Amino acid sequence: MNVVKPIKSVDDLVKAGLVAPADRATLEEVAARYAVALTPAISKLIDRADPDDPIARQFVPDAAELTIAPEERADPIGDHAHSPVEGIVHRYPDRILLKAVHVCPVYCRFCFRREMVGPQGLGTLDAAAMQAAFDYIRGHEEIWEVILTGGDPLVLSPRRLGEIMEALAGVAHVKIIRFHTRVPVVDPEKIDAALIAALKASGKTVYVALHANHPRELTPEARAACGRLVDAGIAMVSQSVLLKGVNDDPDVLAMLMRAFVETRVKPYYLHHPDLAPGTSHFRVTIEAGQEIVAALRGRISGLCQPAYILDIPGGHGKAVVTGSAIRATGDGCYSVTDYRGGEHSYPPAG
């Protein structure tokens, strides 16, 4: 029986038939800057005969990543500007991000935190940093929701996850704990009884936000993994990114959103691509995105409709792209109003 191993280097990609040997030198440049990893579940999903395979496009490095557009930035949604202590991002009053770990089982080529994640990224919070993060949460009674992200928090062992949940269980004002993850799709076997038990916390409601961008990612194994979470009482929502060459088509998006609902995952966010370095080949225009999302109306059930949102560069929060918060100002530029009423240019100048 052939054992499919994780792919963690350009050499591995060549051996797996996912890139041509002639492209090795250029892709080594990409890999030196942005981490590479594919799980066996993802590697097996890729159609080697299709040069435009939408799964490969998400995970296999591309020479286009070496092209940095003027509007791109290392911290496109302003995490650093709202980080009062290491590992915490406090952008909105009632919720915080807790970035306990900065590694992932796979590395998306469009990742907005690609400068921070990976083996050479910001790493995992040590005991002292984690304690400082918990102290911050305990000291801010306005925090109603803690969102574990990173990196992918479900790469942590059940023991480590259990320790985090035990600490949060002791914070009375925290009511909701949310995990943002790709694990049920990219490593479905990891969603076992021990991990599920570790996600429970007394007195807290737990959500898992699943990231997937193409209907083929919702394999029978991925659906079963989600089923195990939902059957255990953990609610699930989705998040996806609107990506050129992956899902920038109403029919593909409709299939994806239906697949989520069939899997008992409520469609939540469809993100406009962020201005991360080397990702311009993934970005659709705001106008194109609005047209694609408008085409979903009436085509699929209301249960299947996600909110199409833009994270305003600079850390100003999210805006609904189909609403009054965004208006065209000409030449592909927009004025975006944040939740406080402030106005910002998109794309930002300089």
Side-chain angles (χ1 to χ4, degrees), residues 241-263:
V241 183
L242 184 59
L243 299 168
K244 186 183 293 185
V246 174
N247 58 18
D248 58 333
D249 177 290
D251 290 332
V252 174
L253 273 183
M255 286 189 287
L256 174 62
M257 298 304 153
R258 287 190 184 117
F260 281 135
V261 172
E262 291 164 7
T263 310

Side-chain angles (χ1 to χ4, degrees), residues 189-202:
E189 292 181 3
K190 187 173 174 61
I191 307 299
D192 59 13
L195 185 142
I196 291 170
L199 299 183
K200 302 294 188 71
S202 178

Side-chain angles (χ1 to χ4, degrees), residues 324-329 333-337 343-346:
S324 60
I326 186 165
R327 59 182 178 81
T329 57
C333 295
Y334 294 81
S335 176
V336 188
T337 304
E343 290 200 13
H344 311 274
S345 296
Y346 182 88

Side-chain angles (χ1 to χ4, degrees), residues 101-118:
V101 62
H102 286 85
V103 295
C104 301
V106 294
Y107 292 105
C108 305
R109 309 321 303 170
F110 51 87
C111 177
F112 68 96
R113 292 196 179 110
R114 63 197 329 234
E115 298 277 357
M116 308 174 200
V117 300

